[in-house]
C-alpha cells in the first residue's frame, strides 16, 4: 500500500524556497478502465505507490466484481485517505465515458477494459468487437472531445494491445511484424490499435499502444490456461480434484509476470513522444512445458491427471508467440524481473494456499469439493 506521504512528481510536498512556502505538487490523476481485472489491480497499486490519485471505471454486475481491489480499497467516506475511487461506466456506453472524463479530468487514461478471452470471442464475436474495438474508439473520442472543450491537451492515453494481433505471423514478433489476427478478439484489438494510431496522427493526441505478450499472476482469471493449470495443481495436491481437462498443449506462449508489465504501460506515457512498444520476456514455452513445471514443482506428474477435451480447442489457433521487445528495453529501459520458473512457482504457491483454505470449508461441510469459490 502506498504511503500517504508520497506525491506525484519529483518535488517534496512542502518545499521551502528562500523562506517562502511553495504549494505542494498536485497529484497526478489516472483513469483506468478495466480496473477490476488482473492488470487493472496491479496498475492501480503501482500508480498509488507513485503518488497518483486513481479513478477506475467499473461495470455493473449482479455480484461484486472488485475482489482484486479489496485489499487496497478505502471507504470513500474516508475521503482524505481514499486515493482510489470507483465509478460505474461501460465501454459500450459512450455517454458514461465522456461524463467521467469530464468529471475526473485525468492526466493519464489507461484503457484496459476488454472481453479478453480469445476462445470466448468466438462465442460472442459481436459483443467482443463492440467492447474491444468500438469501446476503444468511444474512449478515444471522449478524450478528444474533452480536450477540445477544455484545452487540456496534455492528457496521455494508453491502449492495451495484444500479441494476439500477430496471430499466425512467425516469431520473433516486433513492432514492425505484420498483424494476422486469428480470432474476433484479435481482429478487434487490431482495430483498437489502428484507432489509437489514427487519433495520434489526426489529432496529435499523446496515445500509445502497448503490444503486450501474455502476462500472468496469481490474480489471473481462472479460465486462462496458466491459472487453470495452477488452480488444478493446488486442488489435486490437496486432494480436492484428480483430473484436469485441457485443449491444445502444443501452443507456445511468451509468458511474463503482470506486475512487471504494468510498469511498462506507465513508462510509455512518461516519454517525450507517443509511440507503440512490444513488451515481452523474449522466451517462449509450450502449454505442455507449463504443465511439466507446474505439476513437477509439487512432485506430481501431469500425465497422471490431464485429459484432452476437444471443447477447449479453438476454431483457429495461434501456434507460436515469442516477442522481440528490444525497443521497449532500449527506449523505456524496461525489462522483466520475474522469469518463467519464478512465475510458475509464484502461481502454484498461491494456489496451494487457496486450495488449503477450500479444504477447510469442504471438511466442515460448507463447500462441495466440486465447487470452486
Ligand atoms: P481481465 O479479463 O482480467 O480484465 C478485463 C477488465 O475489463 C475487467 O475489469 C472487466 O470487468 C473489464 N470489462 C470487460 N468488459 C467491459 C465493459 N463492457 N465495460 C467496462 N469494463 C469492461 O484482463 P487483463 O487484466 O488480463 O488484461 C487487461 C487488458 O490487456 C485487456 O484489454 C486485455 O485484452 C489486454 N491484454 C492482456 C494480456 C494478458 O496476458 N493479460 C496480454 C495482452 C493484452 P469485470 O471485472 O467486471 O469483468
Ligand atoms: P491466450 O491465453 O489465448 O494466449 O490469450 P489462454 O491462456 O486462454 O490460452 C493460451 C493457449 O493455451 C491453449 N490452451 C488452453 N487455453 C485455455 N484458456 N484453456 C484450456 O483448457 C487450454 N488448453 C490449451 C490455448 O489454445 C492457447 O493456445 C491471452 C489473453 O489474456 C488475451 O486477452 C491476451 O491478449 C493474450 O493472452 C496475449
Amino acid at each position: 500500500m502506498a504511503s500517504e506521504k508520497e506525491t506525484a512528481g519529483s518535488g517534496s510536498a512542502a518545499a521551502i524556497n528562500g523562506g517562502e512556502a511553495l504549494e505542494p505538487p498536485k497529484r497526478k490523476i489516472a483513469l483506468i478502465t478495466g480496473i477490476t481485472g488482473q492488470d487493472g489491480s496491479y496498475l492501480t497499486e503501482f500508480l498509488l505507490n507513485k503518488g497518483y490519485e486513481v479513478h477506475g471505471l467499473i461495470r455493473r454486475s449482479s455480484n461484486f466484481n472488485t475482489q482484486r481491489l479489496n485489499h487496497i480499497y478505502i471507504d470513500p467516506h474516508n475521503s482524505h485517505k481514499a486515493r482510489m475511487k470507483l465509478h460505474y461506466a461501460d465501454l459500450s456506453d459512450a455517454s458514461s465515458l465522456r461524463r467521467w472524463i469530464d468529471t475526473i479530468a485525468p492526466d493519464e487514461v489507461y484503457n484496459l477494459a476488454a472481453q479478453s478471452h480469445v476462445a470466448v470471442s468466438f462465442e460472442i464475436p459481436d459483443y467482443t468487437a463492440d467492447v474491444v474495438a468500438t469501446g476503444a474508439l468511444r474512449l478515444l473520442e471522449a478524450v478528444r472531445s474533452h480536450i477540445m472543450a477544455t484545452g487540456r491537451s496534455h492528457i496521455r492515453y494508453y491502449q492495451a494491445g495484444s500479441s494476439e494481433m500477430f496471430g499466425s505471423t512467425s516469431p520473433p514478433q516486433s513492432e514492425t511484424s505484420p498483424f494476422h489476427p486469428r480470432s474476433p478478439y484479435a481482429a478487434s484489438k487490431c482495430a483498437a490499435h489502428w484507432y489509437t494510431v489514427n487519433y495520434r496522427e489526426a489529432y496529435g493526441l499523446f496515445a500509445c499502444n502497448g503490444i503486450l505478450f501474455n502476462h500472468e499472476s496469481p490474480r489471473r482469471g481462472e479460465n486462462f490456461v496458466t491459472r487453470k493449470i495452477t488452480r488444478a495443481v493446488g486442488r489435486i495436491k490437496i486432494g480436492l480434484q484428480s483430473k484436469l481437462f485441457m485443449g491444445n498443449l502444443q501452443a507456445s506462449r511468451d509468458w511474463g509476470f503482470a506486475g512487471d508489465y504494468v510498469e511498462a504501460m506507465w513508462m510509455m506515457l512518461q516519454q517525450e513522444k507517443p509511440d507503440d512498444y512490444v513488451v515481452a520476456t523474449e522466451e517462449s514455452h509450450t502449454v505442455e512445458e507449463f504443465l511439466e513445471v507446474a505439476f513437477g514443482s509439487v512432485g506430481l506428474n501431469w500425465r497422471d491427471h490431464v485429459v484432452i477435451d476437444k471443447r477447449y480447442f479453438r476454431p483457429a489457433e495461434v501456434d507460436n508467440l515469442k516477442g522481440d521487445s528490444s525497443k521497449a528495453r532500449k527506449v523505456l529501459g524496461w525489462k522483466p524481473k520475474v522469469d518463467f520458473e519464478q512465475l510458475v512457482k509464484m502461481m502454484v504457491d498461491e494456489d496451494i494456499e487457496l486450495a488449503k483454505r477450500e479444504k477447510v470449508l469442504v471438511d466442515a461441510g460448507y463447500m462441495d469439493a466440486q465447487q470452486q469459490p
Side-chain angles (χ1 to χ4, degrees), residues 138-150:
R138 290 185 188 106
L139 189 59
L140 283 162
E141 188 53 22
V143 171
R144 184 183 80 87
S145 8
H146 171 76
I147 292 173
M148 297 260 293
T150 61

Side-chain angles (χ1 to χ4, degrees), residues 43-311:
L43 180 62
T44 301
E45 284 171 359
F46 178 85
L47 293 175
L48 289 174
N49 273 318
K50 288 247 171 250
Y52 281 63
E53 178 175 312
V54 177
H55 292 256
L57 301 188
I58 60 169
R59 58 179 179 162
R60 193 268 160 184
S61 71
S62 65
N63 272 319
F64 284 123
N65 54 2
T66 49
Q67 295 85 340
R68 292 185 178 101
L69 298 171
N70 287 346
H71 63 291
I72 43 176
Y73 184 77
I74 296 175
D75 191 310
H77 298 99
N78 236 333
S79 59
H80 63 292
K81 279 200 179 152
R83 280 200 283 119
M84 177 189 70
K85 294 170 190 176
L86 304 176
H87 317 280
Y88 282 112
D90 200 296
L91 266 261
S92 62
D93 183 329
S95 67
S96 65
L97 302 177
R98 176 66 201 274
R99 187 172 62 256
W100 283 120
I101 292 211
D102 284 345
T103 308
I104 293 159
D107 302 298
E108 294 172 10
V109 175
Y110 295 86
N111 183 29
L112 309 186
Q115 188 303 93
S116 72
H117 202 283
V118 173
V120 173
S121 79
F122 289 98
E123 310 288 331
I124 48 171
D126 192 340
Y127 173 76
T128 301
D130 189 43
V131 172
V132 176
T134 313
L137 182 63
R138 290 185 188 106
L139 189 59
L140 283 162
E141 188 53 22
V143 171
R144 184 183 80 87
S145 8
H146 171 76
I147 292 173
M148 297 260 293
T150 61
R152 298 184 68 253
S153 57
H154 70 280
I155 300 187
R156 300 183 168 203
Y157 176 93
Y158 173 84
Q159 170 59 33
S162 165
S163 51
E164 282 294 295
M165 299 188 294
F166 296 120
S168 54
T169 295
S170 309
Q173 295 96 355
S174 74
E175 295 82 2
T176 55
S177 304
F179 292 155
H180 188 140
R182 299 270 288 164
S183 63
Y185 166 81
S188 303
K189 281 288 182 190
C190 289
H193 175 96
W194 286 114
Y195 289 143
T196 305
V197 171
N198 180 242
Y199 270 61
R200 185 165 73 212
E201 292 175 355
Y203 304 116
L205 186 66
F206 193 110
C208 301
N209 286 293
I211 307 175
L212 272 50
F213 282 60
N214 298 52
H215 45 278
E216 319 293 314
S217 73
R219 297 184 202 166
R220 185 58 142 153
E222 295 190 16
N223 59 354
F224 295 95
V225 77
T226 54
R227 188 77 201 291
K228 182 172 168 179
I229 293 169
T230 60
R231 275 293 270 141
V233 167
R235 287 170 56 84
I236 291 168
K237 185 70 185 169
I238 301 301
L240 293 173
Q241 101 185 38
S242 62
K243 295 280 172 237
L244 169 61
F245 296 96
M246 300 281 304
N248 176 18
L249 305 188
Q250 297 319 313
S252 222
R253 290 289 182 274
D254 180 330
W255 279 299
F257 170 53
D260 289 344
Y261 284 44
V262 298
E263 184 175 11
M265 298 175 187
W266 175 79
M267 284 172 153
M268 287 177 213
L269 297 198
Q270 313 312 310
Q271 302 306 303
E272 249 175 55
K273 288 193 182 141
D275 207 344
D276 307 324
Y277 299 90
V278 158
V279 178
T281 68
E282 306 193 338
E283 218 184 88
S284 192
H285 298 271
T286 60
V287 174
E288 187 173 310
E289 283 167 349
F290 196 103
L291 282 167
E292 193 96 46
V293 176
F295 277 81
S297 71
V298 294
L300 294 170
N301 183 346
W302 67 270
R303 291 173 198 280
D304 297 335
H305 303 280
V306 169
V307 178
I308 299 300
D309 182 339
K310 287 261 175 292
R311 89 171 71 174

